[in-house]
Amino acid sequence: AGEYDLAGFAVGVVEKSEILDGRHVRAGDAVLGLSSHGVHSNGFSLVRKVIERASARLPAELDGMPFKQAIMAPTRLYVKPVLAALKQHPAGADAGIKALAHITGGGLLENIPRVLPSALGVDLKRGSWPRSELFAWLQREAGIDDTEMNRTFNNGIGMVLVVPTHQAQAVTQTLQGLGEQVHAIGTGTFGEVGAIVEQEGDVAPPADLAECLGGPDHDLVIDILEAQLHAGNIAGIKGLSQRGREARSELGRRDQVEAAARKNGHSRVV
């Protein structure tokens, strides 16, 4: 009661000859990222649970803004600057903007492979773009690792472009002139199928996690455990009681849509 959801959609038209299908992407191409304004409406199921769990210790500000404003910042729209950049840098065999990935649900790990040719991936350089206080707070409070952060949230990058290395600076300058914050975040590579993230520096869940199952934080704990399962860390969760082990049946589902989305290549942070 007292709650409602709003949903909308947009339909676009593009000339067939101008469709970006990623066929020109090659290993060694530069990967550029455009800064996001925040969560961008993705991952809010987890965000709401984190806020509920941390209600007594919510920060007054994040990234120089009041907490509520930082959490609810409107999604940044990239269509005008990106279309303008495409006109100046049309795609070609070794020229222009070869591929675009809007970083929505599935984060950096699942959206980028969708625009890549078969068996080609990208390596994203950890620390090559600014880490906001908002995402640092969400990761700390949720207790999830870097892999799941990059799979759940945009983590500071809302749009990704793949361009030839020799044109990366020119494309960057064009987008900066259009008001975008642009970061060189990685390169195209030949690699194994699937999304892989370096495990070093992962955030471990609280030691008493399993004891929370069935309590008021049950849903949040399930989300945290599921994040660890996806990252391959389920066996190492501290304090995993028999009750926690029995929860594997609830956590054991694998998202077939995720697997299908990643089958053409990989996206990893190194």
Side-chain angles (χ1 to χ4, degrees):
E3 297 181 0
Y4 62 90
D5 289 331
L6 292 176
F9 67 93
V11 177
V13 178
V14 61
E15 293 293 337
K16 188 175 182 179
S17 61
E18 297 179 2
I19 292 176
L20 291 181
D21 56 11
R23 68 182 183 274
H24 296 306
V25 176
R26 299 289 184 269
D29 282 344
V31 181
L32 305 179
L34 307 186
S35 292
S36 68
H37 274 176
V39 179
H40 282 194
S41 76
N42 293 113
F44 262 91
S45 295
L46 180 57
V47 170
R48 285 193 294 268
K49 291 171 185 176
V50 169
I51 291 174
E52 181 180 357
R53 188 170 187 257
S55 59
R57 56 180 188 280
L58 294 177
E61 290 187 354
L62 287 173
D63 300 305
M65 295 180 285
F67 175 77
K68 290 183 179 179
Q69 184 178 340
I71 287 287
M72 299 299 293
T75 299
R76 184 170 182 81
L77 303 180
Y78 302 96
V79 59
K80 290 183 178 180
V82 167
L83 286 176
L86 280 168
K87 288 183 178 179
Q88 294 190 47
H89 307 278
D94 193 31
I97 298 171
K98 299 181 176 184
L100 291 167
H102 192 197
I103 309 305
T104 55
L108 293 163
L109 300 189
E110 294 175 8
N111 285 287
I112 299 177
R114 292 173 179 147
V115 304
L116 302 176
S118 179
L120 197 68
V122 296
D123 282 355
L124 306 180
K125 185 177 180 181
R126 190 188 303 273
S128 59
W129 67 93
R131 182 79 186 283
S132 70
E133 294 177 0
L134 169 62
F135 288 116
W137 177 81
L138 283 170
Q139 181 171 13
R140 182 174 63 253
E141 290 296 327
I144 60 178
D145 60 28
D146 292 345
T147 301
E148 197 64 20
M149 281 297 294
N150 285 315
R151 182 180 289 136
T152 304
F153 300 107
N154 66 63
N155 234 0
I157 297 294
M159 179 70 75
V160 167
L161 304 84
V162 183
V163 303
T165 301
H166 66 273
Q167 290 192 336
Q169 184 175 357
V171 175
T172 295
Q173 290 175 344
T174 295
L175 287 163
Q176 288 174 336
L178 295 166
E180 295 299 322
Q181 297 180 35
V182 189
H183 310 281
I185 63 173
T187 57
T189 63
F190 288 111
E192 60 190 275
V193 173
I196 308 169
V197 175
E198 185 181 74
Q199 295 299 309
E200 184 177 351
D202 285 350
V203 177
D208 60 350
L209 209 56
E211 301 306 317
C212 299
L213 289 169
D217 294 328
H218 175 86
D219 289 340
L220 177 61
V221 172
I222 290 297
D223 280 348
I224 295 173
L225 290 176
E226 187 170 26
Q228 297 298 319
L229 176 68
H230 282 307
N233 296 336
I234 190 70
I237 294 178
K238 296 180 180 180
L240 189 62
S241 64
Q242 178 61 36
R243 190 176 186 185
R245 287 191 292 272
E246 291 170 355
R248 289 191 190 194
S249 60
E250 184 171 354
L251 299 174
R253 57 184 177 82
R254 289 289 186 173
D255 192 335
Q256 295 179 351
V257 175
E258 287 182 10
R262 297 198 301 272
K263 69 180 181 181
N264 289 331
H266 75 267
S267 175
R268 60 186 177 187
V269 179
V270 294

